[in-house]
Amino acid sequence: TRSLLRNQALAISALEDLPVELFPPLFKEAFAKRCTEALKALVQAWPFRCLPVGALLRRADLEYLQICLEGLEMLLAQKVRSRRWKLQVLDLRNLHHNFWKVWAGNEPYICPAQAQTKRQTSPAEENGAGMEAKPSLKVLVDLSLRQTTLDPFFSYLLLWVEQRKALVQLSCKKVKIITPHIHRVKSILEKLQLGCVEEVEVNCNWTLSSLATFATYLSRMGNLRSLLLSHVHRASSIAPEEQERLVLQFTSQFAHLACLQELSMDSMCFLEGRLHQVLRCLRTPLQSLSITDSRLSESDLACLSQSPSIRQLSDLNLSGVRMTRFSPEPLRVLLESVAATVKTLDLEDCGIQDAQLTAILPALSRCSSLTTFNYLRNPVSVTALEALLVHTVHLSHLSLEMYSTPLEVYGPQGALHQWRLNQLRDELMVMAEPLRQSRTVWFSTIPCPLPGNQVLLDEEAHLCPGCYLL
């Protein structure tokens, strides 16, 4: 391939008869050496359905994007196309790195993105309603809206596709929104094929009004599988009637999300007393549910425990949902409802008291598939902790348990008694001895100056005086 690129004109003329296995290494070499004309010709003659050029981009390189799009332009303009022309997907995502390392010689490996571009057809499409000629080319890209204006890379791509929308379809599998400017978000979403979106993350400070505006686009994402929403607050001046209207405008859209499997809602201002509005609109069972740092009522928890959408949950995260004043019954029923399937259970900082913990222990011990249990930042006594460990010891798949250090190791002013901590640690080590080969039991002080996950993942990290592993 290197000898071919010494003469670009010769390389281009040889593409018609070049063995297909030489195309990937030749393209990669031309890409590294910025052989502009050769790259354009390689795009036109590409013998596979997918060109995963995004794996070669170290960053959003506008020059390389322009080169690839110029090659596509020439390809689309051809009235008589090469017998070897197969390109259907230009993948600009940072995926499929192995494609450029190994040529496997079979279609499923060569075109991994091709299979991913297939989406479910809606009832209207199946009946032939609104059928139009499909674009001959699809461009795949992950979208991240971080600023008030788009970066040059995506701005150029968006304009190029808009000018050729009869021939080219822009498909975004992942959409990440980190900007509070909802009007800017709207202008971009209007130009996307929303039916292709599979993952959405909204991680910024939005008002309830902005969320309701976004919801009108959410309803068009019929193939959405993962939705993460974070930090939604309501304006202090909003009338109660208007608030109810906006909440309904948002929650009603879940009825259109027939493929939703993962739902995460963090710091949501409106969930208390209204969780049922979300749950009743869910059409399929969820695999993952996360409701964190949000206020819920006891009736919300009871409603969740009865919802058909949780019957197949693998991951349940309720961290930061305060349950101190709740009856333990809703949480007990909830654990029983997910016992057969749940693998990750996060109850960090829920304010659960010893009496509540004691009531839910039988249900917790039935979670036979549980692999990770987080009970950090809940006040617990030595007696309650020992009872908890007695129940979890029988969970054979459990590999990671996280707890706060019992209350008895603190003095009246909250000071840590190191001697009592050392004594307790020795007692717990004896109790946990049978488990030490198969699982990690992590204890942390309240508060802990070090992030627990950092310590668990970094063997070189230094534990603070009150934190320890069994």
Side-chain angles (χ1 to χ4, degrees), residues 19 30 33 102 114 120 172 183 247 268 271 302 324 416 422 426:
K33 293 185 175 180
V102 180
Q114 169 66 10
Q120 295 184 0
C172 293
H183 296 295
V247 170
M268 306 294 277
L271 285 180
T324 304
L416 183 70
N422 293 339
D426 293 340

Side-chain angles (χ1 to χ4, degrees), residues 87 220 226 418 433 443:
L87 186 60
R220 292 155 53 188
S226 176
Q418 191 65 44
E433 182 62 34
F443 289 90

Side-chain angles (χ1 to χ4, degrees), residues 282-387:
L282 293 174
R283 294 179 56 186
T284 55
L286 296 173
Q287 293 181 4
S288 176
L289 176 63
S290 177
I291 304 174
T292 58
D293 294 325
S294 303
R295 293 184 62 176
L296 293 183
S297 66
E298 188 172 320
S299 62
D300 288 325
L301 205 59
C303 181
L304 178 61
S305 68
Q306 301 295 330
S307 174
S309 62
I310 68 166
R311 297 297 184 242
Q312 297 178 24
L313 271 187
S314 175
D315 304 301
L316 176 60
N317 186 353
L318 295 175
S319 62
V321 175
R322 306 295 292 178
M323 306 181 193
T324 304
R325 300 183 181 278
F326 290 3
S327 160
E329 186 64 11
L331 182 57
R332 184 192 66 78
V333 176
L334 175 59
L335 293 180
E336 288 184 346
S337 299
V338 301
T341 59
V342 70
K343 295 180 179 179
T344 301
L345 178 61
D346 195 331
L347 297 176
E348 180 173 350
D349 194 26
C350 290
I352 299 174
Q353 305 296 310
D354 280 1
Q356 296 168 305
L357 175 60
T358 301
I360 68 172
L361 284 180
L364 179 63
S365 64
R366 296 191 188 100
C367 297
S368 56
S369 299
L370 198 63
T371 61
T372 302
F373 177 46
N374 183 359
Y375 196 70
L376 285 168
R377 295 201 290 163
N378 287 293
V380 62
S381 67
V382 172
T383 301
L385 179 61
E386 290 176 344

Side-chain angles (χ1 to χ4, degrees), residues 145-158:
L145 298 175
R146 297 176 177 271
Q147 304 168 343
T148 55
T149 58
L150 283 176
D151 63 83
F153 182 92
F154 195 80
S155 294
Y156 185 90
L157 176 62
L158 201 61

Side-chain angles (χ1 to χ4, degrees), residues 418-447:
Q418 191 65 44
W419 65 271
R420 181 66 182 100
L421 176 65
N422 293 339
Q423 182 184 33
L424 175 64
R425 179 165 49 196
D426 293 340
E427 294 172 1
L428 292 175
M429 280 186 172
V430 172
M431 179 181 297
E433 182 62 34
L435 307 174
R436 294 178 67 184
Q437 299 300 319
S438 61
R439 71 180 65 170
T440 298
V441 184
W442 162 251
F443 289 90
S444 172
T445 55
I446 305 176

